[in-house]
Amino acid sequence: MAGYDAILFDFDGVLIDTEPLHFACWMEVLKPFRIQVTLDQYRRRWVGVSDRDMLDDFAPLADPPVDGATLAKFHPAKKQLFRERSIEAPPWGPGLAGFLRSLDGYKLAVVTSSGRSEVAPLLEAGGIRHFFGAEVYGSDTPKLKPAPDPYLRAAELLGARRPLVVEDSDAGIRSAQAAGFDCVRVGSTEEVREAVGRAIAARGGGYR
């Protein structure tokens, strides 16, 4: 049984826990619409879902209800607010750079439905962007997760034939499975190192 030649990481909830910040920014810019959604509901239902689909779901929850196109007008404001707040205090988990360094020998990629303008500055600010041989963002493929396109694109860019995917969302898991790749699911950023280690060891591999 051949070992993995690449590890493809989702971003939010896997490498960094930005979901509470995304949620807070959305609730702030959409405050005039009085949308009643909790962070727990957001995590369960909309993590890994495209912003367009999420806003379409939010629209009938507004008071009074609106359409998704109306809420979409606030997307630039949310992105700007997220950029400002995330750069001020990036919510990186401890030891991330050391963990990525320990994966020397594996090709690494970030695969996210978020935009390049939101994620790339965080990778730079965290000093970890150089670890990744490929980055796939929401606008880089015709279809987003749960379609297989993002993970297939990452594997293509890396020249990987046996990648392992690390995900935290239903949409991401379905995307990896549709691509035909092994996938481990984590419940938090703290679980990633152990989960990846177990998966690699099961294939007869290892890391430093």
Side-chain angles (χ1 to χ4, degrees), residues 121-177:
L122 283 175
L123 296 176
E124 291 283 1
I128 62 170
R129 193 174 188 182
H130 66 281
F131 288 111
F132 301 102
E135 302 166 21
V136 177
Y137 297 100
S139 61
D140 291 343
T141 57
K143 297 181 180 178
L144 301 178
K145 305 171 187 178
D149 303 45
Y151 282 114
L152 290 174
R153 178 59 176 159
E156 178 186 17
L157 290 171
L158 292 177
R161 301 182 65 182
R162 300 177 306 280
L164 171 68
V165 172
V166 189
E167 267 287 353
D168 73 319
S169 70
D170 291 340
I173 295 292
R174 294 199 300 272
S175 176
Q177 291 173 339

Side-chain angles (χ1 to χ4, degrees), residues 23 42 69 71 73 100 142 162 171 178 193-194 198:
F23 172 75
Y42 175 84
L71 299 185
K73 296 176 182 178
L100 295 174
R162 300 177 306 280
R193 186 183 185 103
E194 183 178 350
R198 287 198 306 266

Side-chain angles (χ1 to χ4, degrees), residues 35-173:
I35 296 170
Q36 301 298 312
V37 173
T38 67
L39 176 59
D40 185 57
Q41 290 171 325
Y42 175 84
R43 285 189 182 276
R44 290 200 314 268
R45 184 169 178 181
W46 291 292
V47 169
V49 175
S50 71
D51 288 344
R52 177 179 297 177
D53 289 342
M54 182 191 70
L55 292 174
D56 284 342
D57 290 342
F58 278 2
L61 303 178
D63 180 20
V66 294
D67 57 30
T70 298
L71 299 185
K73 296 176 182 178
F74 291 80
H75 190 250
K78 181 267 177 182
K79 291 177 67 176
Q80 180 61 30
L81 185 61
F82 177 84
R83 279 196 296 269
E84 293 171 358
R85 293 186 176 177
S86 61
I87 293 298
E88 287 173 4
W92 295 110
L96 178 59
F99 167 57
L100 295 174
R101 193 176 298 112
S102 75
L103 296 173
D104 182 43
Y106 295 94
K107 303 170 184 177
L108 307 181
V110 173
V111 184
T112 175
S113 296
S114 298
R116 183 180 299 270
S117 62
E118 292 179 299
V119 175
L122 283 175
L123 296 176
E124 291 283 1
I128 62 170
R129 193 174 188 182
H130 66 281
F131 288 111
F132 301 102
E135 302 166 21
V136 177
Y137 297 100
S139 61
D140 291 343
T141 57
K143 297 181 180 178
L144 301 178
K145 305 171 187 178
D149 303 45
Y151 282 114
L152 290 174
R153 178 59 176 159
E156 178 186 17
L157 290 171
L158 292 177
R161 301 182 65 182
R162 300 177 306 280
L164 171 68
V165 172
V166 189
E167 267 287 353
D168 73 319
S169 70
D170 291 340
I173 295 292

